[in-house]
Amino acid sequence: AQSVSQHNHHVILSEAASLELGCNYSYGGTVNLFWYVQYPGQHLQLLLKYFSGDPLVKGIKGFEAEFIKSKFSFNLRKPSVQWSDTAEYFCAVRANQAGTALIFGKGTTLSVSS
Amino acid sequence: EAGVTQSPTHLIKTRGQQATLRCSPISGHTSVYWYQQALGLGLQFLLWYDEGEERNRGNFPPRFSGRQFPNYSSELNVNALELEDSALYLCANDRYSGANVLTFGAGSRLTVL
């Protein structure tokens, strides 16, 4: 069964700082990878996804993530964070196999100070 | 279009009681997923229903059960409640089975006293 590990529990940054949130998964086969975000008081929503093709994927609000197959990683990045990026970020993986569900990491809380 | 709607928003129960949570999917969405979001544990997969059938189940005891109705709405039942069942329970849809892109509801906050 697949699993997801997010390295950082809580990240605190100042506005304009660069962001990188780590995500590693364990599964030997083909996977689909996601980052979801939960802003304070809002629903969980999709930030970006990787199914196949270019391993560098771009999402909403200037976020991007890079899939490195050899490292089983899918790290999230943003060159310059804003106060409005304060949220909880979840990495998720789904094995590309019928009958498997989307499995989430434990989440990383990002706090951005203005 | 209306999003995924869940009810009740908040529910307070005592140990040993039963809780029933409900989810109404986006029109046309046939798959329903249930997740438990407990403090510090992220989202843990509970159950997946599609076309009225249970497709997959997470690592939860049998007292967590559910069903999906012909209109694709779903119910999550938690029997013999324990204090550690206190959590936000999230329901999600994808547009068709295996589409992967989940749309989440606001959740039902269950508090067990």
Side-chain angles (χ1 to χ4, degrees), chain A residues 48-67:
Chain A
L48 49 78
K49 63 185 186 293
Y50 172 80
F51 285 0
S52 64
D54 188 345
L56 183 63
V57 292
K58 296 188 184 300
I60 60 172
K61 304 185 179 184
F63 285 91
E64 64 178 32
E66 184 176 13
F67 170 49

Side-chain angles (χ1 to χ4, degrees), chain A residues 32 34 36 38 43-44 46 49 51 88 90 94 99-106, chain B residues 33 35 37 40-43 45 48 55-56 94 98-102 104-106:
Chain A
N32 298 317
F34 307 81
Y36 280 81
Q38 190 171 35
H43 299 191
L44 202 63
L46 180 70
K49 63 185 186 293
F51 285 0
E88 190 159 16
F90 294 93
R94 188 172 194 169
T100 59
L102 188 63
I103 303 301
F104 286 81
K106 292 186 178 182
Chain B
Y33 301 79
Y35 287 85
Q37 187 176 10
L41 297 180
L43 278 79
F45 168 65
W48 169 18
R55 300 297 184 186
N56 203 341
D94 60 12
N100 286 330
V101 181
L102 299 189
F104 283 84

Side-chain angles (χ1 to χ4, degrees), chain B:
Chain B
E1 62 179 2
V4 178
T5 56
Q6 293 187 243
S7 63
T9 305
H10 293 94
L11 187 61
I12 299 174
K13 294 284 187 177
T14 57
R15 286 177 60 188
Q17 286 189 313
Q18 180 202 33
T20 298
L21 309 176
R22 297 177 179 84
C23 172
S24 293
I26 298 170
S27 176
H29 289 226
T30 62
S31 279
V32 172
Y33 301 79
W34 287 96
Y35 287 85
Q36 182 195 67
Q37 187 176 10
L39 195 62
L41 297 180
L43 278 79
Q44 296 188 78
F45 168 65
L46 266 165
L47 290 159
W48 169 18
Y49 291 95
D50 184 46
E51 300 283 355
E53 301 285 332
E54 183 180 298
R55 300 297 184 186
N56 203 341
R57 181 183 180 86
N59 189 25
F60 279 84
R63 57 191 187 82
F64 287 83
S65 65
R67 54 181 172 167
Q68 187 177 32
F69 299 100
N71 66 353
Y72 304 124
S73 66
S74 178
E75 217 173 63
L76 173 69
N77 295 294
V78 188
N79 293 320
L81 285 166
E82 301 179 2
L83 297 178
E84 52 265 33
D85 297 333
S86 294
L88 182 67
Y89 289 84
L90 294 170
C91 173
N93 287 167
D94 60 12
R95 188 161 295 278
Y96 53 87
S97 181
N100 286 330
V101 181
L102 299 189
T103 302
F104 283 84
S108 293
R109 172 76 61 187
L110 172 64
T111 301
V112 183
L113 303 175

Side-chain angles (χ1 to χ4, degrees), chain A residues 58-95:
Chain A
K58 296 188 184 300
I60 60 172
K61 304 185 179 184
F63 285 91
E64 64 178 32
E66 184 176 13
F67 170 49
I68 303 179
K69 189 175 181 180
S70 61
K71 294 185 178 181
F72 297 90
S73 70
F74 190 57
N75 292 354
L76 180 71
R77 301 193 294 248
K78 186 171 184 179
S80 176
V81 295
Q82 301 173 314
W83 177 81
S84 57
D85 293 325
T86 295
E88 190 159 16
Y89 293 80
F90 294 93
C91 182
V93 62
R94 188 172 194 169

